[in-house]
């Protein structure tokens, strides 16, 4: 999407001109004109879940409808790969949409008098797909969302979560690379909603679709989004990963928005780890180890052998050996280690039980860094500076 404007009302072009010169949409002073999307630019990468997040009225649904060509744009461009959707005829847009994009809606949009199977097959039958092929595609899609066996039921016989899985199956049956989901889980109970989020993440690991997911729920955005676009009053104020948004909010608005997020679920070991500044090798003499630990007041130190994490030593074990031998003799080879993508929430327990810092390792066991109790506690208040700034402004 490139510098996209979507303005409703008769004096749309004039509105765009004013918005381009920096006028806020609230100060347009053009009666009957609503600037729903203002100068939106972003790129969605193939295979990512791109979340658009913002309060009610911020322009999310309008943005999505320009993205799939359901709404003509006032100004700007929408490119799918290199195809400019904004220059196409309605028939061309419809064809592109059918071939490449599927929608999942908040209120399921199922036909009440058609069975689950008929609902899922609907798009395929409209496209004129052969019966047999409809059958297999529908069966595959229902299996993906765990609804095999429910083919002959009517939507009214299903729970909300199941209905939304029918909606999802319908989108999957079309077998398009792009999925557009507008508040798809917002009507569901919290527990069911979490289940659906898990299921979507699972499906995404299998299918690798390109997903644009709209939500006004920040926790959902942070759980699902590879990247998140934050919208405010029609404008996109930041596009960033969840971690970036927490640690480097673009402005006060974003800082306030992310303030109440459970950051221990979003941040991972990689965001809180520090370089293992002091580490030993198995060959380090115990005399040297003891002296180093005393001087730096360390209770535990990580040990690496040629870059590979080998374990940890504690001050107690080193002292007890009384200077003779090397670190290898007192090495705890089973010392705690975590991978870089472990959520901070899962580190507290491990860290509290460990006498040394936690080792952060990669898949091959190389020591990437360490996490200490202090760095964990700091992670809880990682945007404190940003917040203080906000408070100073307020
Ligand atoms: N067809 C339309 N005609 C006129 N104004 C519209 C139209 N569609 C949307 N708007 C206005 O555009 C603005 C953005 O609406 P939009 O539905 O995109 O927001 P949203 O972020 O999806 O909100 P919600 O979270 O409530 O779904 C709102 O002020 C809305 O009233
Ligand atoms: Mg909406």
């Amino acid at each position: 999407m490139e510098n996209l404007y979507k303005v409703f009302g008769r004096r749309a072009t004039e509105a765009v001109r004013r918005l381009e010169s920096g006028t806020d949409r609230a100060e347009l002073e053009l009666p009957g004109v609503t600037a729903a999307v203002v100068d939106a630019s972003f790129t969605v990468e193939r295979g990512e879940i791109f979340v658009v997040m913002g309060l009610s009225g911020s322009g999310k649904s309008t943005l999505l409808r320009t993205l799939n060509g359901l709404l003509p744009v006032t100004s700007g461009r929408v490119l799918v790969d290199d195809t400019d959707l904004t220059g196409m005829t309605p028939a061309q847009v419809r064809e592109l949409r059918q071939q490449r994009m599927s929608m999942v809606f908040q209120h399921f949009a199922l036909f009440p008098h058609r069975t689950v199977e008929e609902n899922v097959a609907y798009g395929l039958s409209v496209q004129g797909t052969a019966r047999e092929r409809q059958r297999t595609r529908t069966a595959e899609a229902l299996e993906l969302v765990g609804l095999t066996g429910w083919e002959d039921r009517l939507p009214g016989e299903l729970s909300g979560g199941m209905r939304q899985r029918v909606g999802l199956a319908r989108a999957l049956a079309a077998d398009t690379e792009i999925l557009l989901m507008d508040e798809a889980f917002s009507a569901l109970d919290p527990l069911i909603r979490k289940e659906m989020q898990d299921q979507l993440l699972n499906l995404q690991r299998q299918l690798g679709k390109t997903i644009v997911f709209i939500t006004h729920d920040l926790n959902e955005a942070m759980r699902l989004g590879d990247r998140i676009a934050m919208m405010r009053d029609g404008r996109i104020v930041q596009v960033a990963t969840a971690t970036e948004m927490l640690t480097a909010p673009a402005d006060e608005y974003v800082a306030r928005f992310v303030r109440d997020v459970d950051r221990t679920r979003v941040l991972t070991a990689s965001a809180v780890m520090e370089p293992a500044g002091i580490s030993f090798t198995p060959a380090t003499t115990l005399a040297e180890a003891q002296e180093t630990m005393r001087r730096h007041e360390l209770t535990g130190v990580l040990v690496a052998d040629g870059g590979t994490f080998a374990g940890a030593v504690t001050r107690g074990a080193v002292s007890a050996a009384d200077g003779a031998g090397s670190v290898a003799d007192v090495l705890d080879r089973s010392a705690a280690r975590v991978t870089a993508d472990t959520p901070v929430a899962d580190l507290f327990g491990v860290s509290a039980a460990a006498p040394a810092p936690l080792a952060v390792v990669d898949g091959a066991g190389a020591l990437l860094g360490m996490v200490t109790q202090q760095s964990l506690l700091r992670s809880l208040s990682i945007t404190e500076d940003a917040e203080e700034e906000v408070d100073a402004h307020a």
Side-chain angles (χ1 to χ4, degrees):
M1 187 166 275
E2 282 179 5
N3 304 108
L4 193 119
Y5 289 79
K6 178 62 194 178
V7 179
F8 295 105
R10 286 234 303 280
R11 293 161 76 188
T13 330
E14 190 180 341
V16 170
R17 216 177 318 114
R18 291 194 197 176
L19 291 163
E20 273 172 346
S21 58
T23 309
D24 247 29
R25 80 169 183 185
E27 286 148 16
L28 268 180
E29 290 173 351
L30 293 171
V33 164
T34 307
V37 179
V38 181
D39 198 17
S41 298
F42 59 87
T43 305
V44 180
E45 303 295 336
R46 191 182 295 272
E48 82 172 329
I49 303 185
F50 187 89
V51 171
V52 180
M53 152 87 213
L55 296 178
S56 181
S58 58
K60 306 178 298 292
S61 295
T62 307
L63 184 94
L64 198 72
R65 280 189 226 123
T66 56
L67 204 58
N68 71 1
L70 272 178
L71 276 178
V73 310
T74 312
S75 161
R77 301 206 298 167
V78 177
L79 301 164
V80 180
D81 289 334
D82 293 327
T83 315
D84 185 357
L85 210 131
T86 48
M88 289 182 164
T89 66
Q92 286 171 321
V93 173
R94 211 175 308 124
E95 194 185 332
L96 179 103
R97 199 162 51 229
Q98 273 188 7
Q99 287 173 356
R100 308 202 53 184
M101 304 174 177
S102 309
M103 273 295 270
V104 184
F105 302 92
Q106 176 172 359
H107 292 292
F108 324 137
L110 303 178
F111 298 106
H113 302 300
R114 297 188 193 214
T115 64
V116 165
E117 182 171 21
E118 287 163 351
N119 267 287
V120 173
Y122 179 74
L124 298 171
S125 69
V126 169
Q127 282 177 36
T129 309
R131 266 289 153 83
E132 210 32 51
R133 182 118 182 85
Q134 282 186 38
R135 276 262 151 83
T136 37
R137 283 264 195 88
T138 303
E140 281 165 11
L142 283 171
E143 165 143 37
L144 279 171
V145 302
L147 280 182
T148 305
W150 294 81
E151 290 81 357
D152 298 329
R153 303 297 187 97
L154 292 173
E157 301 176 79
L158 309 181
S159 69
M162 292 169 89
R163 273 183 241 176
Q164 191 51 294
R165 284 192 279 166
V166 176
L168 189 54
R170 180 173 53 196
L172 294 174
D175 201 24
T176 57
E177 21 179 349
I178 302 170
L179 272 187
L180 305 175
M181 306 180 72
D182 191 352
E183 303 271 8
F185 302 153
S186 300
L188 305 173
D189 296 337
L191 283 177
I192 309 284
R193 184 170 185 167
K194 171 128 190 321
E195 265 176 45
M196 289 298 294
Q197 293 166 356
D198 289 338
Q199 183 164 41
L200 184 70
L201 289 170
N202 266 328
L203 281 170
Q204 176 62 356
R205 273 189 282 274
Q206 292 173 55
L207 304 175
K209 302 266 183 197
T210 302
I211 301 177
V212 180
F213 189 103
I214 288 190
T215 182
H216 60 258
D217 183 285
L218 184 62
N219 281 300
E220 180 165 82
M222 299 222 154
R223 272 200 88 206
L224 295 180
D226 292 308
R227 288 184 306 147
I228 302 163
M230 176 84 79
M231 285 189 86
R232 177 196 191 182
D233 294 343
R235 291 183 193 268
I236 293 181
V237 289
Q238 184 166 17
V239 179
T241 64
T243 304
E244 285 164 356
M245 220 166 248
L246 282 177
T247 55
D251 61 15
E252 303 163 28
Y253 182 77
V254 180
R256 274 193 184 285
F257 219 113
V258 299
R259 194 175 206 161
D260 297 327
V261 151
D262 180 357
R263 56 198 64 229
T264 67
R265 296 262 154 228
V266 176
L267 297 175
T268 59
S270 63
V272 299
M273 75 179 180
E274 347 175 8
I278 296 173
S279 64
F280 299 145
T281 73
T284 306
T285 66
L286 285 174
E288 187 189 336
Q290 194 173 5
E291 171 56 17
T292 306
M293 293 177 92
R294 192 192 55 74
R295 191 154 17 95
H296 296 280
E297 296 179 11
L298 303 172
T299 53
V301 172
L302 301 181
V303 179
D305 192 357
T308 302
F309 179 59
V313 290
T314 61
R315 194 158 168 183
V318 169
S319 303
D322 212 18
S326 72
V327 158
D329 304 331
V330 296
L331 182 60
D332 174 8
R333 291 174 199 280
S334 64
R337 69 205 71 190
V338 296
T339 52
D341 59 359
T342 310
V344 165
D346 298 343
L347 299 179
F348 284 96
V350 196
S351 168
L358 279 184
V360 183
V361 298
D362 70 9
L367 181 61
L368 302 175
M370 66 177 195
V371 173
T372 62
Q373 282 287 325
Q374 291 90 315
S375 53
L376 275 180
L377 293 174
R378 260 199 313 275
S379 74
L380 292 176
S381 55
I382 205 154
T383 57
E384 223 166 49
D385 293 349
E387 282 177 8
E388 274 164 16
E389 246 169 67
V390 173
D391 289 336
H393 279 282

